[in-house]
Amino acid sequence: MQYIQFKEIKHKFPKDSWLCWRNEKHDGEFDEDWVIYLNHDVELQNLNLDEPFIAFNAIENQDKINEEGCFAILIEGNLTAKNIYNYESDGSICLCVLGNLEADNIIVGGQELYITGNLTVRDCFWGNYNHGDLIIQGETKAQVFVATEGYHYKKERISADFFLCDEEEEDFDRTLPAGLFTEEILYTEDEADIENLFTWNDWLSRSTAIKILETNSSIIKKDIQLLSKEHQEHLELAAIPKYFEETVFNDLASFLSQLENFQKLMAIVKLHKEVYQHYVFEDYEIQLHPDSEDGQAHVMFTHSSGCIFFICIVENENNREVLSAVYRENEDASFVNVFQQGTTLHYITSLNILWNDVLTRAERGAYFYNKFLETVKPTEIISYLNLPIVQEKYNNYQDADKNNFWYNGYCFLMRRYGERGLVGSIDIGKERDAEIFDMRTYCFRPDQLENPEKCNLFYASSQEELTNDSYSGNGKVFKVFLYDWELFRESIEWYPKIGKAFTAMNEEYLEEKNI
């Protein structure tokens, strides 16, 4: 264990860490500051980042210790601790672990916490204030993950049973923290300003939580009665009424019995007006086509290799409607019946998997699409676009300064009636975890200006084409059909952010205007 100046050890820090890039940008700003350095795995009880020398007391060069000069801890190995915390969230000692970090609880803020491996927190991770950054190159796991007062983190690689993140909440109800945390760290309704709740900190005492950790007591309830979001989503899927019956087939007879399921599927297809509907599953593009002037109802599965399965209704020799399935191996081959003698089991099995996927997606998709239509009101979208803040301030789609604003970590982009031929659109974007700036975006677009019936959903998983799915485009957004039901479910969760953001920003604009 050494106490060493940053200039002697800076080559070991990750190049993209705040300490390195700021030191380089400001001509060695931190070179003379001191670092606690350990080049092996470390096991600790509690680590107070405000006073690290309590935990690290076996420094080789004791005569050089200047506690006030310490600004970072570098561990070249794995770190295991019971609790890690600091009281001062406006500025505290940085912690860099070149390995994995495991702890029971972490309550930090005011510094960079950089882990090159995985972060595992058995109970609670709590990052506070916008002077703090959590950078994890691996995966982050926690039972409870809390981010308050603008704390910086990337949620994409964080898995937790419960999230309490300020920027993702609309209603800071006491029920959630009360169901997770021990009563000692909770403010009562008399102590909180009920009319002005803007952060989970309004219900949680950070200093009290740290004092409890110092006694090695738990801040999380032992018996949590609340359901995690993952469990809630599982129950919701399980509760969706079954629409299709006996979906599995292994021969011609059992396939022919899928006629009723095919007809039910086409009824779902008609929930969208478009003749051409599609989604992507593994290496297949799946196209669904209802009866129209352009052709008969069918489902087509096209593999990237050129293999195609085609399902439709035909008349048999008795002039009765039956279900037909044909396939071709590649573009040079002819279509043949999937169930003709000599067809290998591989094709029947592949078609069965594809068929069950489309029926599952249609069943779930119809549920969430109808929920989307009930939740996302086109008249509301149009009313937000007619607010003064849009009509007078953010009124030019071609001008980057006049087409969007940020609120609580989300970017809201407005397109008024007539811009790009649209009735109007409100887009919600959230920054993705990428080396360059990139966002994933949902777009809510009314179908017509007068007496609109519904909003259509558009989506872009990456504006920089950094993802491999069908929704990645260079500034493009793509129509979403109900078969990608996960997108409809998430868009329903994002939609309430529009009302909160536009109402708050419009009120602020009117106040500024009248000053």
Side-chain angles (χ1 to χ4, degrees):
M1 186 183 304
Q2 293 180 293
Y3 196 47
I4 188 170
Q5 285 187 303
F6 182 68
K7 62 185 177 183
E8 304 295 336
I9 199 74
K10 61 185 179 182
H11 61 281
K12 290 185 176 290
F13 283 84
K15 297 300 183 183
D16 62 339
S17 66
W18 176 81
L19 296 176
C20 282
W21 67 255
R22 183 179 175 90
N23 189 66
E24 183 176 346
K25 182 178 180 180
H26 292 269
D27 299 322
E29 176 183 4
F30 303 136
D31 279 352
E32 303 303 319
D33 292 313
W34 292 82
V35 177
I36 295 175
Y37 169 59
L38 301 95
N39 62 350
H40 52 77
D41 292 347
V42 177
E43 292 189 16
L44 298 171
Q45 281 296 307
N46 292 341
L47 172 58
N48 182 349
L49 292 175
D50 290 334
E51 300 177 348
F53 291 96
I54 296 175
F56 299 109
N57 52 18
I59 303 293
E60 294 177 1
N61 47 341
Q62 290 283 339
D63 57 312
K64 293 185 178 180
I65 290 180
N66 173 9
E67 294 189 14
E68 293 183 359
C70 181
F71 85 125
I73 299 168
L74 175 63
I75 297 176
E76 196 170 11
N78 301 316
L79 171 60
T80 303
K82 186 166 183 62
N83 300 301
I84 300 173
Y85 49 82
N86 64 278
Y87 284 94
E88 182 53 67
S89 59
D90 193 34
S92 188
I93 292 174
C94 297
L95 174 61
C96 181
V97 179
L98 306 181
N100 301 320
L101 171 55
E102 295 185 12
D104 287 352
N105 297 276
I106 297 177
I107 301 180
V108 291
Q111 78 282 85
E112 181 179 66
L113 179 59
Y114 197 119
I115 312 298
T116 62
N118 298 320
L119 172 62
T120 304
V121 184
R122 281 175 281 276
D123 289 338
C124 177
F125 177 93
W126 183 353
N128 185 65
Y129 199 47
N130 61 13
H131 288 182
D133 294 90
L134 175 66
I135 300 178
I136 310 296
Q137 291 185 353
E139 303 293 328
T140 298
K141 294 181 180 180
Q143 184 178 21
V144 180
F145 186 92
V146 185
T148 50
E149 304 284 359
Y151 187 78
H152 301 131
Y153 65 99
K154 299 292 186 181
K155 193 177 179 181
E156 283 76 8
R157 293 203 300 270
I158 300 174
S159 60
D161 293 334
F162 302 95
F163 285 93
L164 288 82
C165 302
D166 285 356
E167 66 179 31
E168 299 182 8
E169 292 300 327
E170 308 298 327
D171 181 17
F172 295 92
D173 190 281
R174 191 178 187 272
T175 304
L176 180 56
L180 299 174
F181 294 95
T182 56
E183 197 66 29
E184 296 93 324
I185 71 171
L186 292 168
Y187 294 121
T188 65
E189 292 189 359
D190 292 335
E191 294 171 320
D193 184 359
I194 302 298
E195 300 300 323
N196 296 285
L197 297 173
F198 297 106
T199 170
W200 290 116
N201 278 345
D202 291 335
W203 292 118
L204 300 170
S205 172
R206 186 170 175 275
S207 59
T208 302
I210 292 175
K211 290 177 181 177
I212 292 174
L213 295 185
E214 288 179 326
T215 66
N216 290 327
S217 299
S218 177
I219 60 173
I220 300 294
K221 286 184 174 180
K222 292 182 179 179
D223 185 20
I224 296 176
Q225 299 297 321
L226 298 176
L227 295 179
S228 67
K229 183 177 180 181
E230 182 181 27
H231 194 182
Q232 292 177 32
E233 291 175 348
H234 174 76
L235 292 178
E236 184 177 28
L237 293 181
I240 295 175
K242 290 296 180 184
Y243 190 60
F244 301 102
E245 302 294 338
E246 302 297 331
T247 63
V248 177
F249 56 84
N250 50 30
D251 55 24
L252 177 59
S254 55
F255 174 75
L256 292 176
S257 68
Q258 297 298 308
L259 176 61
E260 183 177 354
N261 283 340
F262 180 87
Q263 292 168 333
K264 288 180 177 180
L265 174 62
M266 287 301 115
I268 290 177
V269 170
K270 291 177 181 178
L271 290 175
H272 290 293
K273 293 182 178 179
E274 287 80 358
V275 170
Y276 174 68
Q277 302 172 28
H278 60 95
Y279 71 93
V280 174
F281 171 62
E282 294 183 350
D283 290 329
Y284 284 89
E285 179 182 347
I286 292 80
Q287 302 172 24
L288 299 102
H289 197 298
D291 273 319
S292 70
E293 296 178 355
D294 297 327
Q296 67 181 134
H298 66 261
V299 182
M300 185 165 68
F301 307 90
T302 304
H303 193 267
S304 57
S305 66
C307 177
I308 293 178
F309 292 98
F310 190 93
I311 298 177
C312 67
I313 295 176
V314 299
E315 287 188 357
N316 65 6
E317 62 274 9
N318 298 319
N319 296 323
R320 294 181 57 187
E321 289 189 340
V322 295
L323 202 59
S324 167
V326 297
Y327 81 98
R328 72 178 188 190
E329 293 183 357
N330 52 60
E331 295 179 354
D332 298 325
S334 300
F335 280 100
V336 296
N337 193 304
V338 172
F339 298 97
Q340 74 175 10
Q341 188 174 4
T343 300
T344 62
L345 183 61
H346 163 75
Y347 290 105
I348 298 175
T349 302
S350 297
L351 181 59
N352 205 334
I353 293 172
L354 293 167
W355 180 243
N356 275 270
D357 177 72
V358 74
L359 295 186
T360 299
R361 286 173 179 263
E363 187 173 78
R364 295 178 178 180
Y367 172 83
F368 287 107
Y369 182 61
N370 285 321
K371 193 172 181 180
F372 173 87
L373 295 179
E374 293 170 2
T375 304
V376 180
K377 304 297 185 183
T379 52
E380 286 184 345
I381 295 293
I382 293 172
S383 69
Y384 294 136
L385 292 173
N386 285 329
L387 290 173
I389 191 174
V390 178
Q391 295 297 315
E392 301 171 11
K393 185 175 182 179
Y394 298 107
N395 56 11
N396 187 346
Y397 176 76
Q398 303 299 327
D399 188 335
D401 294 326
K402 294 184 178 181
N403 67 4
N404 75 88
F405 63 80
W406 287 81
Y407 185 86
N408 279 354
Y410 289 84
C411 180
F412 296 84
L413 186 145
M414 290 70 66
R415 301 176 185 178
R416 301 186 302 161
Y417 170 69
E419 291 178 328
R420 301 190 72 184
L422 300 175
V423 170
S425 179
I426 294 181
D427 307 349
I428 307 178
K430 188 175 183 182
E431 187 177 356
R432 294 180 67 254
D433 184 12
E435 292 183 1
I436 62 175
F437 180 80
D438 190 31
M439 287 198 303
R440 50 192 297 260
T441 305
Y442 284 105
C443 308
F444 301 90
R445 298 179 176 177
D447 60 346
Q448 55 195 32
L449 188 62
E450 298 295 332
N451 302 316
E453 296 180 2
K454 64 178 181 178
C455 275
N456 292 312
L457 181 65
F458 288 75
Y459 177 69
S461 59
S462 168
Q463 66 186 51
E464 299 292 341
E465 297 185 282
L466 297 181
T467 59
N468 295 321
D469 58 62
S470 59
Y471 295 107
S472 185
N474 185 13
K476 299 178 182 178
V477 295
F478 302 87
K479 176 74 179 286
V480 182
F481 295 101
L482 58 80
Y483 319 102
D484 280 326
W485 57 268
E486 298 98 331
L487 298 180
F488 276 98
R489 179 171 66 180
E490 186 178 51
S491 72
I492 294 169
E493 297 174 357
W494 284 34
Y495 178 70
K497 302 179 188 304
I498 293 176
K500 182 176 182 180
F502 276 71
T503 300
M505 294 295 287
N506 189 64
E507 290 177 354
E508 181 179 314
Y509 169 70
L510 293 177
E511 289 176 1
E512 293 175 353
K513 182 179 177 181
N514 294 327
I515 292 177

